[in-house]
Amino acid sequence: VQLQASGGGLVQAGGSLRLSCAASTRTLRNYAIGWFRQVPGKEREFVAASDWSGGITFYSDSVKGRFTISRYNAENMAWLQMNSLKPEDTAVYYCAADERPYKTYVPQTTGEYKYWGQGTLVTVSS
């Protein structure tokens, strides 16, 4: 599976961005999807994740209520809608996938994901 993240950019604090993750696979339905972010000198951290259906989602406490993960399996796409952005949201954002068809467990750590996109930079100015 190859993942292509896009949609990053420069935005002012309080603004919004929508990140996209395009997957080259026969069907995204078999995969849990996660979004992670990383700033230089720090470990990659969990942001949000969805089970194969999109019906079960998890968020880190730092983004809960501001970010929304969604997906459309028929088009092998996933998104991360980011609202009320803060300067501390500045990071390179990565989408990740792991094959877990029909599983309700949603992985939330980097080691649980097999496939990774290349990352897209989000910069939030104050």
Side-chain angles (χ1 to χ4, degrees):
V1 177
Q2 290 186 323
L3 303 173
Q4 181 79 26
S6 61
L10 174 63
V11 63
Q12 287 190 330
S16 298
L17 278 176
R18 189 191 197 202
L19 305 184
S20 299
C21 180
S24 62
T25 178
R26 184 165 169 267
T27 173
L28 194 59
R29 185 187 302 177
N30 291 338
Y31 296 84
I33 292 290
W35 286 95
F36 293 77
R37 65 187 182 188
Q38 189 171 24
V39 297
K42 291 191 175 182
E43 291 190 355
R44 196 168 296 186
E45 67 170 4
F46 170 76
V47 175
S50 158
D51 76 327
W52 67 276
S53 71
I56 301 174
T57 57
F58 287 93
Y59 299 91
S60 67
D61 288 342
S62 61
V63 307
K64 198 173 296 181
R66 299 188 297 123
F67 291 12
T68 302
I69 186 172
S70 60
R71 60 193 294 162
Y72 188 43
N73 290 337
E75 293 188 355
N76 291 344
M77 290 292 300
W79 299 273
L80 184 68
Q81 177 67 43
M82 306 185 296
N83 299 329
S84 302
L85 282 162
K86 305 175 181 180
E88 51 264 43
D89 294 319
T90 295
V92 176
Y93 284 72
Y94 298 87
C95 63
D98 198 73
E99 191 167 10
R100 297 173 184 264
Y102 310 111
K103 303 296 184 184
T104 56
Y105 173 74
V106 181
Q108 298 173 51
T109 63
T110 56
E112 294 179 286
Y113 285 89
K114 183 175 182 179
Y115 304 101
W116 290 85
Q118 86 289 0
T120 184
L121 177 62
V122 172
T123 303
V124 184
S125 62
S126 57

